[in-house]
Amino acid sequence: MKYKLCVLPGDGIGPEIVAQAERVLGKVGEVFGHEFTCETHLIGGAAIDATGGPLPEATLAAAKASDAVLLGAVGGPKWDAIDKAVRPEKGLLGIRKELGLFANLRPARLFPELAASCCLRPDIVGQGLDVVVVRELTGGAYFGQPRGEEMRGGERVAFNTMLYAESEIRRIAKVGFETARKRGKKLCSVDKANVLEVSQLWREVVVEESKNYPDVELSHMYVDNAAMQLVRAPSQFDVIVTENLFGDILSDEAAIITGSIGMLPSASLGAGGPGLYEPIHGSAPDIAGKDLANPLATILSISMMFVHSFGLTDEAAAVDKAVAEVLREGFRTGDIMGAGKTEKRVGCAEMGGLVAERIRR
Ligand code: IPM
Ligand code: MG
């Protein structure tokens, strides 16, 4: 089969980690007999430097014409001081919106090989840590109108609107239920229904939708409690579904308790059209260009792409297996180095090469 990828390396460590993911992709193509063509385009700060804006027309057109999009990371201190309207992050938000990628799947799991880097006590982790955060990605306070800053009563005020239409809630709820159905069949919907009208509607619609999923056990949790429960007893969660801003926060929390934010991939999906795959970590400008970054989250994003965009489950399993093997053999980038004496420290490029070598049918 032939697949056309739009590759957006972005800023900071983005280009390094994406290069390693492309290397693994190339190897999967060789071993399984597929042809992956990668067309690279600008996004984020790199696009601002070259074109003046964070999401050039050419990038958007190429993304829309692709079978899937692979993204590195955007942003960095270099662009922090410029005009608020052209921040690198706007490129990412823009492409999510333009491609209609309303569902963001963020699996946070503790790799058994990296149990030592988990930052929770072993008795808290208990049966392990394996949560998927299903985050709504194109609504809520990130996009709601009106928004802005103005003068009121002689001082500056700023405002955003957290707004959800019933249809937006329903479609993300469905993704939550479907995701839970394929896993532990438990869905926790996180909201702030004790305070926010938008959360009250959220809860009503999720409950309505649950009638279509009698096999999935639904629970509700306020977001403050959910933040606490994630560190108190994370194994109670299977799938969490929540709105954009809560999901942004909780997915970082879920990720870091695994101790290996450099390991976690994500998928952003819409209704048909290309999906977008990216590591959940950021552009890490402090280590950019030094061959220190961990490419595994990006490599594992390729595995999610195989599953969700191409239906290539054997190929996905081959990637996951190769990563597990490399970890079992003790290879580590700096971010996942533990105290183990048998661990071998490697750079970004070597890590990518080690995974590629282990891709087998
Ligand atoms: C994320 C990031 C983005 C977000 C930023 C970079 C705009 O934090 O993907 O979680 O807030 O969605
Ligand atoms: Mg975030």
Side-chain angles (χ1 to χ4, degrees):
M1 285 288 286
K2 289 186 181 181
Y3 302 93
K4 196 160 80 182
L5 270 71
C6 173
V7 177
L8 309 175
D11 308 318
I13 58 172
E16 300 162 58
I17 54 179
V18 161
Q20 297 315 312
E22 283 190 68
R23 194 167 166 187
V24 172
L25 194 67
K27 187 64 189 287
V28 172
E30 246 170 62
V31 171
F32 287 85
H34 303 298
E35 194 184 314
F36 300 104
T37 50
C38 296
E39 206 183 282
T40 301
H41 287 272
L42 295 166
I43 195 166
I48 295 175
D49 289 350
T51 70
L55 182 59
E57 275 300 321
T59 299
L60 196 54
K64 284 183 176 162
S66 73
D67 295 317
V69 181
L70 175 68
L71 188 135
V74 297
K78 180 177 172 196
W79 302 280
D80 279 348
I82 58 172
D83 182 357
K84 280 180 213 162
V86 290
R87 291 191 57 91
E89 289 78 5
K90 291 233 163 142
L92 184 54
L93 298 178
I95 199 167
R96 287 173 180 169
K97 192 70 174 176
E98 290 287 338
L99 296 182
L101 305 172
F102 67 87
N104 184 212
L105 309 186
R106 298 191 164 187
R109 85 185 165 93
L110 184 60
F111 291 78
E113 296 83 3
L114 300 178
S117 48
C118 175
C119 52
L120 297 178
R121 288 200 320 261
D123 61 306
I124 292 178
V125 172
Q127 308 103 313
L129 217 162
D130 186 354
V131 184
V132 178
V133 178
V134 176
R135 170 189 176 193
E136 200 292 326
L137 203 59
T138 52
Y142 274 62
F143 295 96
Q145 295 290 345
R147 64 188 293 164
E149 187 183 308
E150 61 191 38
M151 294 301 288
R152 284 188 201 166
E155 64 173 345
R156 288 172 299 164
V157 297
F159 48 92
N160 292 89
T161 304
M162 192 188 273
L163 183 144
Y164 274 103
E166 191 178 350
S167 54
E168 292 176 294
I169 302 171
R170 197 173 304 282
R171 66 183 182 179
I172 193 69
K174 277 185 200 293
V175 175
F177 283 110
E178 295 288 345
T179 306
R181 183 172 262 179
K182 290 191 210 109
R183 294 177 31 110
K185 298 191 165 45
K186 276 168 62 181
L187 180 67
C188 180
S189 170
V190 171
D191 61 38
K192 189 71 185 173
N194 51 345
V195 178
L196 304 174
E197 282 80 359
V198 60
S199 282
Q200 286 152 13
L201 179 64
W202 178 278
R203 196 175 277 218
E204 279 168 32
V205 174
V206 172
V207 169
E208 285 163 24
E209 199 51 41
S210 69
K211 311 270 187 299
N212 298 323
Y213 299 88
D215 53 324
V216 176
E217 181 195 316
L218 173 66
S219 62
H220 304 275
M221 210 178 266
Y222 298 139
V223 63
D224 49 350
N225 185 28
M228 181 177 71
Q229 294 298 335
L230 263 174
V231 289
R232 198 190 70 86
S235 51
Q236 71 185 285
F237 295 106
D238 176 26
V239 178
I240 290 175
V241 65
T242 191
E243 67 90 43
N244 203 346
L245 182 58
F246 297 163
D248 179 43
I249 299 167
L250 292 181
S251 62
D252 266 28
E253 188 190 4
I256 195 57
I257 60 181
T258 70
S260 48
I261 195 158
M263 296 292 302
L264 303 180
S266 80
S268 303
L269 310 170
L276 183 149
Y277 301 84
E278 58 174 322
I280 73 150
H281 61 70
S283 58
D286 53 319
I287 58 164
K290 297 183 180 157
D291 194 35
L292 292 173
N294 182 351
L296 294 179
T298 318
I299 289 170
L300 290 167
S301 298
I302 294 281
S303 162
M304 287 192 90
M305 179 187 291
F306 287 161
V307 172
H308 294 280
S309 283
F310 306 153
L312 299 176
T313 48
D314 290 347
E315 289 80 346
V319 173
D320 296 347
K321 251 177 85 192
V323 169
E325 222 170 280
V326 165
L327 293 174
R328 218 172 307 120
E329 289 171 45
F331 296 104
R332 302 281 187 270
T333 44
D335 59 308
I336 49 173
M337 278 295 280
K341 292 210 171 56
T342 53
E343 294 183 348
K344 291 164 280 223
R345 191 180 182 124
V346 296
C348 180
E350 192 177 351
M351 186 58 109
L354 288 164
V355 176
E357 274 168 25
R358 284 159 184 73
I359 299 289
R360 268 176 237 103
R361 244 178 201 283

